[in-house]
Amino acid sequence: MSMSLLAKENRQQIPTLLVLLVCGSLTTMTGSVVAPIMPDLKEQLAIDPRWVGTLVSMHCLTIFLFSPICGILADRIGKVKVLIPSLICYAIFGSIGGLMQGFTPLLISRALLGAASGGVAAASIGILSSMYEGERRTRVLGYTTSALAIASIIFPLLGGLIGSYNWRFTFFLYGLGLPAALIAYLILPKREGKGSLSIGLNQKDQLIKSLKSPSTLTLFTALALSSAIFYVVIVYAPLYFKETIGADSVLNGVILAARAIGAAVISAVGASKLAKRFGSAKSIALGFILMAVTLITIPFLAQVYFILPTAIIFGMGFGIVMPNLYDGLSKSNPPAVRSSVLAIGTGASNLGQFFSPIFLGPVWKNAGITVFFVGAGVALITAFLSIQQSKVLEKAKYDRF
């Protein structure tokens, strides 16, 4: 392909890329937009401290359950046909959370929101992965993580600001899914390559082979653990800072946004460069070490001017880990099943988020700040295992089917 044709193709892809980044960014607000209001919500609905974290993470379970299904469906009937209905359902199920009067109905609405978010994530990342190959895909996945991190800056701030007036109003931010669906309908291509509704024998064999691959299983595990560690700061840091320094929803939103700033910066300009220079496994290990060190410092911080830089460094660690993990999955799987595998990877990530407060909720209730040390310990162990498994992770670059 000539340089002029390649440049023209790149320009034509920009609107599609921007739409997908907008749609994908909505998935980041599924949990982060309500995290700043959790202390107020816990008090108003009189929720047991052990279970308050499940309201932030309940959607993760249904993302885990539905994103693989939606990924397979996207490979079969077309990714756009999955994306647009998912965005509409996202807006509806997310917004009705603000009308709920008790813990159980709110939990159900969060579960439905997660199912819709799983469809958005599976379809959007599937389209992105099919648009680019090689180093361009690595770079675009870094941009994607950066865009998602920027969204994670904006939405906690909006959630905290709106929640300072009334915590229920925060849920109506999910209504942004409706204009996103309209834009996607107008801009994304209506025709795309797809197979039949039934999975072909060869494709099924490819998918099974991919899921049994040691490199794929290792990457799935790392995705789950990284997300579980991230949710330690999403769920328990706002509760801790409200108890210790009297942080309101606005300040908690600023702290959450600071973590996203670190992730946005490193994902855009540093993650792929680190991987190219040191290898994926060592880069991933570095990211986990940064997350561990900053988690350990949380109980010793009482001033905002110390809390914010530490939060940024934590976000940088997360921003190194995630694009490298997803890029590893993209490189190690063929295009025919890539959407399915990436969707399952997204499911694994969300499963880690779901189980994080279930396992750590009792720790928070009975031992308080110990929850941050537990999260740091898991991060350090994962960093060590990443280094030990470096040959497996690097082999993912060369696995072809």
Side-chain angles (χ1 to χ4, degrees), residues 17 20-21 24-25 27-28 125 128 137-153 223 230 259-272 315-327:
L17 177 60
L20 293 174
L21 292 180
S25 295
T27 64
T28 67
I125 199 170
L128 274 174
R137 184 178 58 224
T138 304
R139 187 169 60 252
V140 168
L141 285 171
Y143 293 154
T144 302
T145 302
S146 179
L148 299 186
I150 291 172
S152 296
I153 299 171
L223 280 168
F230 188 75
R259 296 188 180 94
I261 290 173
V265 171
I266 199 69
S267 296
V269 302
S272 61
M316 291 176 67
F318 187 73
I320 293 170
V321 168
M322 294 305 284
N324 280 300
L325 292 177
Y326 276 113
D327 186 53

Side-chain angles (χ1 to χ4, degrees), residues 272-329:
S272 61
K273 292 181 180 179
L274 284 171
K276 187 175 181 179
R277 181 169 182 178
F278 301 109
S280 296
K282 291 181 180 178
S283 299
I284 291 168
L286 173 62
F288 277 115
I289 291 171
L290 289 177
M291 294 167 72
V293 171
T294 50
L295 276 171
I296 292 172
T297 65
I298 288 178
F300 304 102
L301 302 177
Q303 292 80 27
V304 174
Y305 51 80
F306 287 137
I307 294 171
L308 293 180
T310 305
I312 290 173
I313 295 173
F314 178 91
M316 291 176 67
F318 187 73
I320 293 170
V321 168
M322 294 305 284
N324 280 300
L325 292 177
Y326 276 113
D327 186 53
L329 284 177

Side-chain angles (χ1 to χ4, degrees), residues 159-171:
L161 181 61
I162 295 174
S164 66
Y165 295 98
N166 189 313
W167 64 265
R168 293 186 181 276
F169 296 164
T170 301
F171 287 88

Side-chain angles (χ1 to χ4, degrees), residues 185-307:
Y185 175 78
L186 295 175
I187 293 180
L188 295 182
K190 303 299 185 296
R191 295 181 180 180
E192 50 181 323
K194 53 185 180 292
S196 62
L197 279 173
S198 59
I199 299 178
L201 180 60
N202 182 55
Q203 188 175 10
K204 181 179 178 180
D205 290 340
Q206 283 185 324
L207 181 58
I208 292 174
K209 186 176 181 180
S210 294
L211 297 180
K212 288 182 177 181
S213 168
S215 60
T216 300
L217 293 174
T218 301
L219 291 165
F220 283 166
T221 302
L223 280 168
L225 291 176
S226 62
S227 296
I229 295 164
F230 188 75
Y231 250 53
V232 172
V233 299
I234 291 291
V235 175
Y236 301 110
L239 297 172
Y240 172 75
F241 289 130
K242 180 166 186 177
E243 291 180 0
T244 55
I245 64 173
D248 58 13
S249 60
V250 175
L251 180 54
N252 273 323
V254 170
I255 295 171
L256 290 170
R259 296 188 180 94
I261 290 173
V265 171
I266 199 69
S267 296
V269 302
S272 61
K273 292 181 180 179
L274 284 171
K276 187 175 181 179
R277 181 169 182 178
F278 301 109
S280 296
K282 291 181 180 178
S283 299
I284 291 168
L286 173 62
F288 277 115
I289 291 171
L290 289 177
M291 294 167 72
V293 171
T294 50
L295 276 171
I296 292 172
T297 65
I298 288 178
F300 304 102
L301 302 177
Q303 292 80 27
V304 174
Y305 51 80
F306 287 137
I307 294 171

Side-chain angles (χ1 to χ4, degrees), residues 104 142 242 303 309 319 337 376 393:
T104 300
K242 180 166 186 177
Q303 292 80 27
V337 297
L393 291 172

